[in-house]
Amino acid sequence: MKYSVVNLSGESSAGAKEGFKDSPWLRHSACALLGLRPALAQHTAAEHAAFRKWACGCKCVVEIGVAEGVSALALREGMAEDGTLYLIDPFHLSRLPALNFIKRVAQRTVNGSLRGRVVWIEKFSPDAAREWNESIDLILIDGDHAEAAVERDWHDWSSYVRPGGVAVFHDARVFEGGWPSADYGPVKFVDRIFRSGGAPEWTIVEEIHSLFAVRRDK
Ligand SMILES: C[S@@+](CC[C@H](N)C(=O)[O-])C[C@H]1O[C@@H](n2cnc3c(N)ncnc32)[C@H](O)[C@@H]1O
């Protein structure tokens, strides 16, 4: 098992031993690097499939918020053979910055596919945006979850999404058996902007578990 997704209550984990999810020690990224547990996704299997599907054929894919790299792997597996995946994360949450196990697990996870090209941008998204100038086919926004930060990411990045391109928000829906609540930053942002006509050029194209996707009109 290279990675493990979030199981919803009542969902079977196909017989896999997932005790590591309850152990604070095993949850440490060093344990993934040592092979004691798989890389941990922060999304469900259905969301994983949706990431891959939306990346299909895309040449410029951006992810804000990589963590252990499992969503990035889905994007890489889906994107065009000659595509580029830009992975933006400062990896600032490591308690041992010199060793940065989270980043090393992410690199190993993403290298689980050799499709296309990967560019790592080890910065906070607003800093990465200052140097950005490319047209984007698909962006996954899953970094800082404060409502103001999600709004900032939208403000900084959405104008680069080409007409017909897609923006995906994660942790952005309340759903049965799921973890987001109505006061989650991405939930509040998505409800405020897209469910009330605040983004007329964008159409909602998918809602599955906590994932919310919008397409820029052509
Ligand atoms: C929820 S996790 C990402 C989960 C991952 N996409 C997945 O599905 O497995 C959030 C990540 O965002 C990163 N992060 C936090 N603030 C950020 C920012 N302003 N820009 C980019 N990444 C950020 C954190 O370091 C963390 O790794």
Side-chain angles (χ1 to χ4, degrees):
M1 188 178 21
K2 281 189 286 188
Y3 62 83
S4 170
V5 293
V6 172
N7 289 315
L8 300 175
S9 47
E11 222 176 47
S12 144
S13 52
K17 292 194 182 85
E18 302 225 310
F20 54 84
K21 288 186 175 170
D22 301 321
S23 157
W25 291 106
L26 282 173
R27 283 193 74 90
H28 195 285
S29 295
C31 291
L33 210 59
L34 292 170
L36 299 176
R37 65 154 174 87
L40 291 181
Q42 298 188 27
H43 54 265
T44 65
E47 292 171 339
H48 193 85
F51 294 148
R52 193 182 309 175
K53 177 190 75 180
W54 286 113
C56 251
C58 289
K59 291 202 174 192
C60 179
V61 180
V62 174
E63 178 176 53
I64 298 173
V66 180
E68 291 195 354
V70 183
S71 47
L73 175 65
L75 298 173
R76 187 171 192 181
E77 286 175 344
M79 73 183 190
E81 195 68 72
D82 58 348
T84 304
L85 173 60
Y86 295 90
L87 297 176
I88 302 169
D89 196 313
F91 292 107
H92 60 308
L93 300 175
S94 174
R95 273 171 281 169
L96 298 167
L99 298 175
N100 212 322
F101 292 113
I102 303 179
K103 182 170 81 179
R104 289 160 70 184
V105 173
Q107 287 167 340
R108 194 172 66 182
T109 306
V110 173
N111 287 338
S113 165
L114 296 177
R115 205 168 174 81
R117 190 170 75 101
V118 176
V119 176
W120 294 85
I121 303 178
E122 215 172 305
K123 292 182 177 171
F124 287 97
S125 48
D127 298 327
R130 261 180 233 118
E131 290 157 26
W132 189 264
N133 59 10
E134 264 192 68
S135 170
I136 296 171
D137 297 314
L138 173 69
I139 186 164
L140 168 55
I141 299 177
D142 194 17
D144 186 337
H145 284 38
E147 185 182 2
V150 179
E151 180 146 27
R152 172 90 194 256
D153 280 340
W154 179 250
H155 175 266
D156 286 351
W157 293 89
S158 58
S159 61
Y160 292 105
V161 177
R162 67 165 171 81
V166 169
V168 173
F169 294 85
H170 193 246
D171 298 321
R173 294 181 71 243
V174 178
F175 67 100
E176 205 181 326
W179 59 93
S181 54
D183 62 353
Y184 262 46
V187 173
K188 285 166 82 177
F189 176 75
V190 155
D191 286 351
R192 180 162 57 82
I193 299 300
F194 299 104
R195 299 197 197 278
S196 59
E201 277 179 47
W202 296 80
T203 302
I204 300 172
V205 287
E206 183 163 30
E207 300 195 52
I208 173 103
H209 291 166
S210 84
L211 180 155
F212 181 92
V214 284
R215 178 184 280 133
R216 182 172 214 145
D217 296 342
K218 289 194 178 162

